[in-house]
């Protein structure tokens, strides 16, 4: 939605965050924090991204908001991975994957498996990387097949 326009999006998300905080809409405020973290991550402002991702992750975890928690975990995992912090990255991706499985979110399952493949590849473990990549591709194929089936009904 704001690809390649993160700097512009930051101002918008900061205004929205201030409004949500003022109005007491804490769950929406935390969504804005997650979005701000993504903007700063894309701009390679990792310290700012870490602040926003940490807060969003903490609140999602406290509230048991699984739909946002697995995304917040994956965001933090991506930041850990960029920093070369493999163990926390893998832990975050694995927890995100478990939650996505519980939610039945196959698109996210494929993404988090792919993230694990990237992490293990960067760690120099091509066997594990290939295994996760294969699983990711299989899930993606099942999603594409489901979409095709729905499209054929229309």
């Amino acid at each position: 939605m704001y690809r390649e326009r993160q700097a512009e999006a930051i101002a918008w998300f900061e205004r929205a965050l201030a409004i949500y905080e003022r109005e007491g809409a804490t769950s929406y405020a935390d969504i804005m924090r997650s979005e701000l973290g993504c903007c700063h991550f894309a701009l390679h402002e990792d310290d700012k991204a870490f602040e926003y991702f940490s807060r969003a992750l903490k609140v999602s975890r406290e509230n048991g908001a699984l739909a946002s928690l697995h995304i917040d975990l994956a965001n933090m995992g991506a930041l850990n991975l960029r920093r070369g912090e493999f163990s926390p990255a893998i832990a975050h991706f694995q927890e995100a994957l478990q939650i996505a499985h519980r939610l039945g979110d196959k698109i996210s399952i494929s993404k988090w498996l792919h993230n694990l493949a990237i992490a293990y590849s960067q760690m120099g473990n091509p066997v594990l990387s290939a295994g996760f990549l294969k699983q990711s591709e299989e899930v993606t194929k099942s999603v594409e097949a489901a979409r095709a089936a729905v499209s054929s009904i229309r």
Side-chain angles (χ1 to χ4, degrees):
M1 109 179 117
Y2 54 81
R3 290 172 201 226
E4 307 306 318
R5 301 182 76 180
Q6 291 86 1
E8 294 173 45
I10 287 171
W12 187 92
F13 288 134
E14 285 175 339
R15 285 192 302 274
L17 174 61
I19 291 167
Y20 290 139
E21 285 180 329
R22 183 179 67 235
E23 297 299 321
T26 57
S27 59
Y28 290 111
D30 291 317
I31 292 168
M32 291 301 102
R33 284 186 189 89
S34 183
E35 293 294 341
L36 281 160
C38 289
C39 289
H40 287 289
F41 179 80
L43 294 170
H44 291 269
E45 297 170 350
D46 291 354
D47 291 339
K48 279 278 211 191
F50 181 80
E51 290 175 34
Y52 284 117
F53 287 159
S54 293
R55 175 71 193 269
L57 180 56
K58 178 181 183 284
V59 173
S60 290
R61 200 179 288 286
E62 287 173 352
N63 293 334
L66 297 181
S68 60
L69 178 58
H70 73 104
I71 294 166
D72 294 335
L73 285 160
N75 287 340
M76 187 61 86
L79 181 58
N80 292 134
L81 189 57
R82 179 187 288 171
R83 291 177 166 182
E85 301 164 348
F86 298 116
S87 183
I90 288 169
H92 284 115
F93 293 147
Q94 287 176 332
E95 187 178 355
L97 178 60
Q98 290 171 350
I99 293 168
H101 272 291
R102 279 196 287 175
L103 295 173
D105 181 348
K106 288 188 175 189
I107 293 170
S108 294
I109 290 168
S110 178
K111 288 178 185 180
W112 310 157
L113 286 166
H114 190 261
N115 287 358
L116 283 163
I118 292 168
Y120 281 108
S121 175
Q122 288 184 13
M123 288 176 61
N125 192 330
V127 174
L128 273 177
S129 178
F132 282 114
L133 189 57
K134 184 175 190 254
Q135 290 178 60
S136 173
E137 291 168 351
E138 289 170 358
V139 174
T140 297
K141 285 179 186 174
S142 74
V143 169
E144 290 170 355
R147 284 180 177 155
V150 169
S151 294
S152 69
I153 296 172
R154 293 182 190 171

